[in-house]
Amino acid sequence: MPDTRQILSDMNERSRDVFRRVVEGYLDSGEPVGSRTLTRVLNERVSAATVRNVMQDLEILGLLDSPHVSAGRVPTQLGLRMFVDGLLEVGEVSVEDREKIDASGGAPDITSLMNRVGKTLSGITRGASLVLTPKHEAPIRHIEFVQLGTDRALVVLVFADGSVENRVFTPPPGQTSSSMREAANFLNALADGRTLSELRQNIVQDMTRRRQEIDTLAQALVDAGLALWENPGEQSERLIVRGQANLLEGDARDVDRIRSLFEDLEMKRDIAEYLHLAEAGDGVRIFIGSENKLFSLSGSSLVVSPYMNADRKIIGAVGVIGPTRLNYGRIVPIVDYTAQLVGRLVSERGKG
């Protein structure tokens, strides 16, 4: 994408004024802005022909577009980007909007808080609101994996405090609904008040013990020349046994034990990978309002701001989604104010 700040700095005052008036007029009315309209509002007195020439230059730069022959101009996506980055005058949050946002913070729990914040944002901006909630790190009561497609899966986490969270992730290649169900059954038997990270740590420790047992049992066979490692140290590592007919009875039992341990290690490796992906998966996004219509349209805009906990760590985000003709000067400070409020409230509840 071209450097919009450089384009803006290279423009003279007249071009900047014409461009800003076109964008502001379009955002206000949704209609193309013509040269005659601009001659009445520009800071300097110029003819309609001069304004048309400037608008034509701005069109060549890719900042304005003419939807119809002989019609006025509208900003392009590049033009809107440049306006927002360099010319947008951000207003203050009105007292009325501030009171509504503050009132949404009186929810009894995090889930209610996020829903109320989303509804409030949607109501005062007349757009769809987006809330990305912080991930829960609490003891797990139940875990379930749901296959959404060949490359997408959902993990449903039910926590001991009764809250439920969904996370979308990309499963390891070759996984099936059956393997996901087996992984969930195994994890549910182990959960017992552990958090997601504690579960993964427990499984990794168990894998380490299995690995050590395999190495101990296999070493004697390798030393005796009865076996050798294939792809040592890699995930596809195997112990190849030579001359099995010559193995003593004790050695044969060791081989069976090693084979069993390998199968157990592979299963736990897959489950540990599930947990890693689930931890890193996308958190719940809450959309409120007319989002279905909005997302069927190309040319939607998203004004989003992260919110932080007491340690200044980003733990989520709130935003507003709407057509590109948003009132950015009003929406931007509302989203920013809401994000600060949510960050403070989440930190006070000890969820960050």
Side-chain angles (χ1 to χ4, degrees), residues 187-254:
L187 290 170
N188 284 321
L190 277 184
D192 191 28
R194 293 185 175 97
T195 65
L196 203 59
S197 57
E198 288 170 346
L199 256 180
R200 188 159 70 94
Q201 185 179 13
N202 183 264
I203 291 172
V204 170
Q205 289 172 347
D206 200 32
M207 288 167 59
T208 302
R209 287 193 294 270
R210 292 287 185 272
R211 177 74 252 182
Q212 290 169 345
E213 191 174 351
I214 289 172
D215 287 342
T216 300
L217 288 169
Q219 191 60 47
L221 295 176
V222 173
D223 289 345
L226 297 171
L228 57 88
W229 286 111
E230 181 184 58
N231 303 321
E234 299 180 17
Q235 190 160 328
S236 58
E237 182 180 50
R238 289 289 184 275
L239 186 69
I240 306 299
V241 179
R242 299 194 268 191
Q244 294 194 34
N246 299 322
L247 282 173
L248 300 176
E249 184 179 344
D251 294 329
R253 284 199 298 267
D254 285 347

Side-chain angles (χ1 to χ4, degrees), residues 153-166:
L154 179 76
V155 57
V156 182
L157 302 169
V158 182
F159 295 96
D161 61 6
S163 60
V164 179
E165 184 175 315
N166 304 309

Side-chain angles (χ1 to χ4, degrees), residues 1 14 128 141 152 164 215 252 282 290 304 308 336 346:
M1 178 177 285
R14 176 183 293 170
R141 180 187 298 162
R152 299 294 277 172
V164 179
D215 287 342
D282 295 335
S290 54
V304 65
M308 306 179 189
D336 183 54
V346 169

Side-chain angles (χ1 to χ4, degrees), residues 134-138 144-146 148 152-157 159 165-169 196 275-284:
K135 290 177 181 176
H136 221 52
E137 183 66 5
E144 200 73 45
F145 295 104
V146 180
L148 302 177
R152 299 294 277 172
L154 179 76
V155 57
V156 182
L157 302 169
F159 295 96
E165 184 175 315
N166 304 309
R167 298 182 189 176
V168 177
F169 67 99
L196 203 59
L275 287 178
H276 170 71
L277 294 169
E279 279 187 284
D282 295 335
V284 179

